[in-house]
């Protein structure tokens, strides 16, 4: 599937993002707010660390017997009259959803926020098949109006300022002079959406979890649109990565305690919707048909692969909010469905190592992501592993590989190290003043465009050591 | 203190903070350390190394300097050239094999030695040597505070001092208290907290030249926070961060300074 952003090289994409005043303002406000709220939420939860450890253990244990838990989930859903489909690829997943739409004669679909459906580019496929997808999460609604893609896992329109949203609504919904008060904007969106809910044939959602022992698909939302998407239309389709299954309701409680805190700093999200198959005879609401699409799309091979840990991800977005790179460039610059540190790993998982040739280096390895992650995923380590893979598969440019090979030689041979030192001193002569270099050519030129570079000292530490030894003897 | 066991913690995953207290290690005091100067420390900031040697000597510690040092190999490791990084690690391990304890002036290099070195070896004997080096290696502030139990120093400079938490020292080695304990009790200077002191400075090794614009944008945020703190000087325990922050301050013609911890501590004459 083509990713439009990729036509521009990554570094240029970052440059554009840095130059976008609105983006910078929107990102700074939103990520700072998320960071503060998350920190406060965990400060008020003394058992937070223990819950995080427990959550990780549950994920690990579940991955070890993923097929058993999936079998149980399928049994329980089918027992309640629901249907479960398995999709190995994004294409298969789209075909399954389109098949259901066709069979049921659907013309419109209301959608609750779902990264899995973004991952398989479902909206484009629905449109092409004559089914109008309507995003009902406020953030998703905004970007659908703007014909954009989400730039954050939980806050899809994080890249837009309030003013930009007000302008967009005024233009697209023909409501000139709209205020940029978030409450008013939300009300406007709700009004627009209300009709659509009632008229929709399909409800399409993702899933935050699926509980194997009860066959429940769990949706965590703040706007109640999840509940409406699952209950009002006559057919509900949930699309979910296979790794989202958890064994029991007891486990669910653990995850719910940390998910919202990590995502938005809330103790709990406003709505936690549990869906168990279609409407039963005695029930008043619920769909006539319920389908769960289990999505592999590169996940299952990673159970035994280098990115295994990433399969524990809850998609809370905390690692994006704290990432210094994400905070500067936002989500779109990454170019794929999943942005931020975890997004790089997921991109590699879905599209292979070539896709992250540059992205694997879009991190200072500061570790803030691993620190914030509720399930303690060691993202920096896996980024380094990806870099290794990119080198070993010769995807990295040969010039770079040669440069690092030379560096390796210099660092294992003191004579070469001394030679490099002398060379540095000679080479820096035209550029150095008062121990600082303001402009040099080649690789270090990338440094000196915005920063001074220290010059190799007239006498390095090693060259001063003998004297230091004599000083001691005195 | 024994020759081993500075608190290592589990490494990056998850923010389990260092136990909080400033407990020194038990056991007989180490009176002899080997100094690992690191590549940046050797080539660019020799004055920092010189100060550390004098500082430690003033505290009664004998300092050795194993000849033939180059670099810990982190640039190779972080860029994914692990075979080359392993060769460098093997050399470093051999160089420091006989040391009782090893002191490093940079949190990131200390993290490399303590956390990544052991992961590079599968051969049991090599792994054992890597573990042994990891266990006896100290970042400077940790050595002073947790190793020697010293927090009181005279300041070399006047004015207000803020502290930047280097990523690898903070999140890798789980150390935020030792440098602060020293700076807070500095005679002759005032310690102020830097807003968002735990945020990256944007260095990240090769990241700083692969994505220089992003790296600099992150640096701008750090320097803005420095200005907001009202400090005259920003202290860090990592030569990489210092290179980045000094580079930025220098280019802006700022009167503010970024210094290594050792540069603000007056030696005990
Ligand atoms: S990697 Fe961790 S922090 Fe990032 S989205 Fe997933 S669960 Fe949240």
């Amino acid at each position: 599937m083509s990713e439009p952003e990729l036509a521009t090289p990554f570094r240029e994409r970052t440059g554009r993002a840095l130059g976008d005043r609105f983006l910078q303002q929107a990102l700074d406000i939103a990520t700072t707010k998320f960071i503060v709220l998350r920190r406060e939420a965990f400060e008020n939860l003394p058992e937070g660390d223990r819950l995080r450890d427990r959550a990780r253990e549950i994920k690990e244990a579940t991955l070890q017997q993923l097929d058993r838990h999936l079998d149980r989930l399928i049994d329980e859903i089918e027992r309640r009259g629901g249907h479960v489909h398995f999709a190995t690829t994004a294409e298969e997943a789209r075909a399954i959803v389109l098949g259901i739409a066709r069979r049921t004669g659907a013309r419109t679909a209301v959608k609750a926020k779902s990264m899995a459906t973004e991952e398989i580019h479902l909206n484009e496929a629905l449109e092409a098949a004559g089914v109008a997808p309507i995003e009902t999460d406020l953030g998703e609604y905004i970007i659908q109006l703007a014909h954009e893609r989400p730039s954050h896992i939980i806050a899809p329109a994080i890249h837009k300022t309030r003013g930009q949203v007000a302008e967009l609504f005024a233009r697209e919904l023909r409501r000139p002079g709209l205020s940029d008060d978030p409450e008013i904007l939300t009300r406007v969106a709700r009004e627009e959406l209300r009709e659509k809910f009632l008229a929709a044939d399909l409800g399409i959602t993702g899933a935050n979890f699926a509980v194997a022992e009860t066959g429940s698909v769990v949706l965590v939302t703040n706007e109640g649109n999840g509940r409406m998407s699952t209950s009002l239309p006559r057919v509900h389709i949930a699309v979910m990565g296979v790794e989202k299954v958890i064994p029991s309701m007891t486990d669910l409680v653990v995850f719910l305690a940390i998910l919202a805190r990590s995502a938005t700093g809330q103790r709990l999200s406003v709505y936690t919707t549990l869906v168990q198959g279609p409407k039963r005879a005695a029930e008043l609401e619920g769909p006539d048909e319920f389908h769960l699409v289990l999505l592999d799309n590169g996940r299952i091979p990673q159970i035994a692969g280098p990115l295994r840990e990433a399969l524990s991800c809850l998609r809370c977005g905390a690692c994006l909010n704290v990432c210094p790179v994400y905070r500067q460039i936002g989500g779109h610059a990454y170019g794929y469905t999943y942005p931020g540190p975890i997004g790089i790993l997921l991109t590699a998982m879905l599209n292979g190592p070539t896709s992250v040739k540059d992205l694997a280096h879009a991190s200072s390895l500061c570790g803030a992501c691993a620190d914030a992650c509720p399930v303690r995923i060691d993202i920096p380590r896996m980024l380094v592993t990806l870099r290794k893979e990119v080198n070993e598969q010769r995807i990295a440019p040969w010039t770079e590989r040669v440069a690092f090979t030379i560096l390796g030689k210099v660092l294992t041979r003191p004579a070469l190290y001394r030679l490099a030192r002398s060379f540095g001193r000679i080479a820096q002569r035209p550029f150095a003043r008062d121990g600082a270099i303001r402009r040099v050519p080649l690789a270090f030129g990338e440094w000196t465009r915005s920063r001074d570079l220290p010059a190799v000292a007239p006498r390095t530490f090693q060259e001063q050591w003998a004297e230091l030894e004599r000083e001691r003897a005195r | 203190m024994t020759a081993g066991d500075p608190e290592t913690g589990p490494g990056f995953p998850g923010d389990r903070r260092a136990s909080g207290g400033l407990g020194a290690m038990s056991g007989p005091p180490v009176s002899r350390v080997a100094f690992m100067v690191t590549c940046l420390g050797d080539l660019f900031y020799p004055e920092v190394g010189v100060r550390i040697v004098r500082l430690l000597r003033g505290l009664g510690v004998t300092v050795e300097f194993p000849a033939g040092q180059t670099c810990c190999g982190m640039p190779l490791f972080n860029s994914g050239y692990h075979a080359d990084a392993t060769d460098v690690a093997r050399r470093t391990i051999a160089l420091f094999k006989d040391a009782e304890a090893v002191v490093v002036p940079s949190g990131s290099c200390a993290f490399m030695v303590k956390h990544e070195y052991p992961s590079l070896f599968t051969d049991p004997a090599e792994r054992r040597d890597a573990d042994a080096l990891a266990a006896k290696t100290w970042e400077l502030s940790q050595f002073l505070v947790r190793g020697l139990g010293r927090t009181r120093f005279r300041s070399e400079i006047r004015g207000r001092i803020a502290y930047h938490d280097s990523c690898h020292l903070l999140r890798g080695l789980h150390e935020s208290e030792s440098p602060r304990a020293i700076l807070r009790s500095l005679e002759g200077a005032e310690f102020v907290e830097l807003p968002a002191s735990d945020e990256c400075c944007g260095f990240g090794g090769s990241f700083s030249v692969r994505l220089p614009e992003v790296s600099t944008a992150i640096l701008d945020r750090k320097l803005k926070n420095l200005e907001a703190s009202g400090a005259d000087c920003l202290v860090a325990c990592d030569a990489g961060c210092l290179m980045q922050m000094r580079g930025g301050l220098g280019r802006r013609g700022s009167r503010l300074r970024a210094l290594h911890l050792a540069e603000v501590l007056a030696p005990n004459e």
Side-chain angles (χ1 to χ4, degrees):
Chain A
M1 179 74 34
S2 71
E3 307 278 353
E5 288 88 352
L6 300 181
T8 317
F10 177 58
R11 187 168 157 195
E12 218 171 288
R13 302 202 296 272
T14 66
R16 276 189 203 167
L18 290 170
D20 182 337
R21 195 163 47 86
F22 291 108
L23 174 67
Q24 292 299 316
Q25 188 195 347
L27 279 173
D28 186 39
I29 294 173
T31 57
T32 307
K33 187 183 81 193
F34 278 138
I35 290 174
V36 172
L37 291 175
R38 176 188 162 273
R39 186 179 303 143
E40 286 170 3
F42 275 95
E43 270 166 13
N44 295 325
L45 186 72
E47 67 274 32
D49 264 341
R50 201 177 44 77
L51 285 168
R52 290 168 68 184
D53 288 335
R54 181 74 199 119
R56 177 60 184 271
E57 282 164 24
I58 297 168
K59 279 284 181 187
E60 271 300 321
T62 312
L63 281 179
Q64 269 168 36
Q65 298 190 299
L66 192 66
D67 42 355
R68 188 168 72 80
H69 295 294
L70 286 174
D71 282 345
R72 178 75 193 271
L73 176 70
I74 295 168
D75 284 349
E76 294 298 328
I77 289 178
E78 288 179 346
R79 209 158 58 79
R80 289 168 173 79
H83 306 275
V84 183
H85 313 259
F86 186 87
T88 309
T89 61
E91 202 183 341
E92 278 180 37
R94 290 195 298 269
I96 292 165
V97 176
L98 293 184
I100 299 167
R102 208 172 305 123
R103 187 174 48 72
T104 55
R107 309 301 307 166
T108 57
V110 282
K111 290 188 68 218
K113 208 190 95 48
S114 146
M115 288 309 292
T117 61
E118 290 291 337
E119 171 187 325
I120 63 171
H121 300 278
L122 186 59
N123 284 3
E124 291 95 316
L126 285 169
E127 275 166 16
V131 182
I134 299 145
E135 295 289 352
T136 64
D137 168 85
L138 179 60
E140 291 281 354
Y141 179 71
I142 292 167
I143 59 163
Q144 192 179 27
L145 276 186
H147 305 287
E148 291 175 8
R149 307 258 295 268
S151 70
H152 188 286
I153 300 178
I154 66 152
I158 195 173
H159 57 285
K160 291 208 179 298
T161 61
R162 270 159 45 174
Q164 285 178 313
V165 175
E167 268 170 40
L168 175 75
F169 278 19
R171 191 174 65 237
E172 295 292 321
L173 305 176
R174 299 199 180 75
R175 302 212 186 193
L178 201 60
S179 134
D180 68 355
D181 178 343
E183 262 179 48
I184 291 176
L185 294 173
T186 309
R187 193 169 343 118
V188 168
R190 291 233 165 109
E191 280 165 24
E192 292 284 329
L193 285 169
R194 191 166 300 137
E195 297 293 304
K196 312 234 154 124
F197 267 117
L198 297 173
D201 307 302
L202 293 181
I204 300 178
T205 70
N208 293 89
F209 309 95
V211 181
E213 69 171 13
T214 58
S216 323
V217 167
V218 185
L219 289 179
V220 177
T221 64
N222 271 329
E223 296 170 20
N225 60 323
R227 168 150 204 86
M228 284 164 63
S229 306
T230 62
S231 60
L232 294 180
R234 54 197 161 86
V235 181
H236 172 206
I237 307 171
V239 182
M240 175 188 101
V242 287
E243 81 284 13
K244 299 247 154 183
V245 66
I246 56 173
S248 72
M249 292 302 259
T250 337
D251 299 329
L252 179 63
V253 175
V254 175
F255 289 110
L256 290 180
I258 55 174
L259 176 59
R261 284 185 163 91
S262 303
T264 52
Q266 292 163 286
R267 283 174 45 222
L268 268 185
S269 296
V270 181
Y271 299 91
T272 302
T273 310
L274 276 74
V275 181
Q276 279 186 310
K279 174 167 70 179
R280 268 163 283 178
E283 287 172 346
L284 291 175
E285 49 168 41
D288 301 331
E289 279 184 35
F290 170 74
H291 299 266
L292 175 64
V293 181
L294 290 172
L295 182 62
D296 171 3
N297 207 19
R299 290 166 171 81
I300 289 175
Q302 288 300 340
I303 294 176
L307 303 175
R308 175 190 170 94
E309 266 192 70
L311 292 170
S312 295
C313 173
L314 309 181
R315 307 281 191 272
C316 72
C319 58
L320 279 60
N321 302 331
V322 298
C323 175
V325 176
Y326 179 88
R327 296 181 78 190
Q328 294 300 335
I329 67 172
H332 289 152
Y334 287 80
Y336 289 89
T337 302
Y338 295 100
I342 187 65
I344 300 171
L345 304 179
L346 296 174
T347 299
M349 194 181 279
L350 304 178
N351 305 292
T354 309
S355 63
V356 295
K357 170 173 78 72
D358 299 317
L359 288 177
H361 291 280
S363 165
S364 64
L365 303 180
C366 79
C369 51
D371 232 22
C373 176
V375 281
R376 308 189 198 276
I377 298 175
D378 194 347
I379 299 173
R381 170 159 298 272
M382 282 187 282
L383 288 175
V384 170
T385 306
L386 280 180
R387 294 174 181 183
K388 183 165 167 245
E389 210 170 314
V390 165
N391 302 337
E392 284 169 0
Q393 297 191 19
R394 296 165 182 263
I395 301 165
W398 69 268
T399 41
E400 181 197 312
R401 283 183 282 125
V402 168
F404 276 94
T405 307
I406 294 171
L407 180 64
K409 301 265 178 285
V410 170
L411 298 183
T412 44
R413 292 170 183 72
L416 281 183
Y417 178 86
R418 285 193 295 272
L419 195 68
R421 178 180 73 196
S422 314
F423 176 77
R425 275 196 193 120
I426 296 167
Q428 76 191 12
R429 238 176 244 160
F431 307 104
R433 249 194 24 228
D434 301 329
I437 299 171
R438 296 180 66 84
R439 195 173 53 81
V440 279
L442 299 172
F444 284 113
E446 298 294 0
W447 176 283
T448 53
R449 206 170 303 157
S450 54
R451 294 153 289 189
D452 291 353
L453 187 70
V456 175
R459 294 172 68 224
T460 64
F461 182 86
Q462 313 220 21
E463 290 168 310
Q464 296 185 51
W465 174 248
E467 204 172 293
L468 274 168
E469 271 294 77
R470 279 197 297 279
E471 180 183 296
R472 180 179 64 103
R474 276 202 299 272
Chain B
M1 135 198 121
T2 59
D5 264 12
E7 287 173 31
T8 49
F12 262 148
D15 53 344
R16 300 170 183 85
R17 289 274 167 262
S19 44
L22 286 173
M25 305 301 131
S26 54
V30 155
S31 53
R32 181 177 288 274
V33 302
F35 182 52
M36 184 186 288
V37 66
T38 77
C39 57
L40 296 183
D42 180 43
L43 297 171
F44 296 144
Y45 307 117
E47 65 283 2
V48 172
V50 170
R51 284 187 152 274
I52 291 173
V53 171
R54 291 187 181 139
L55 181 75
L56 291 175
R57 282 179 181 163
L59 297 171
V61 178
T62 304
V63 183
E64 293 161 352
F65 184 72
Q69 296 185 33
T70 57
C71 162
C72 68
M74 193 179 223
L76 293 163
F77 182 88
N78 279 355
S79 277
Y81 294 90
H82 290 195
D84 301 288
T86 309
D87 291 342
V88 176
R90 196 173 280 123
R91 254 197 102 246
T92 312
I93 291 168
L95 276 179
F96 290 91
K97 197 164 171 40
D98 298 326
E100 258 177 74
V102 178
V103 171
V104 192
S106 273
S108 50
C109 313
F111 176 78
M112 178 72 194
V113 171
K114 294 176 74 61
H115 195 73
E116 310 290 18
Y117 273 19
S119 77
L120 288 171
F121 297 98
T122 43
D123 173 77
E126 285 194 310
R127 173 72 197 240
R128 213 174 316 118
D129 289 345
D131 284 337
L133 177 59
K136 67 185 178 188
T137 297
W138 300 79
E139 178 279 326
L140 176 71
S141 74
Q142 292 196 303
F143 181 73
L144 293 174
V145 175
R146 296 179 193 273
L148 299 178
R150 303 293 290 252
T151 51
R152 301 202 64 88
F153 295 88
R154 267 186 312 109
S155 180
E156 199 61 272
I157 62 167
R158 301 280 152 251
R160 282 187 295 264
I161 300 180
Y163 174 68
H164 161 71
D165 283 284
S166 299
C167 297
H168 287 92
L169 185 54
L170 175 67
R171 286 178 284 270
L173 298 176
H174 308 284
E175 180 62 83
S176 59
E177 259 316 297
S178 291
R180 282 188 173 77
I182 292 173
L183 293 174
R184 257 190 232 114
S185 50
L186 259 191
E187 257 174 72
E190 184 196 340
F191 176 69
V192 294
E193 271 295 347
L194 177 72
S197 66
D198 61 342
E199 284 176 10
C200 180
C201 68
F203 176 62
S206 74
F207 169 78
S208 63
V209 288
R210 286 177 197 268
L211 292 171
E213 295 84 4
V214 183
S215 169
T216 306
I218 300 170
L219 172 64
D220 286 342
R221 188 185 276 272
K222 178 62 62 179
L223 297 184
K224 234 178 253 153
N225 281 326
L226 172 60
E227 275 162 24
S229 75
D232 308 290
C233 164
L234 183 58
V235 161
C237 297
D238 197 297
C241 310
L242 284 171
M243 186 168 141
Q244 169 89 341
M245 299 188 300
R246 268 188 203 182
L249 289 171
R251 180 57 54 93
R252 286 161 187 70
S254 173
R255 59 164 195 92
L256 304 177
R257 291 190 293 169
L259 296 176
H260 190 277
L261 177 68
E263 290 178 288
V264 302
L265 305 185
N268 209 347
E269 299 298 341

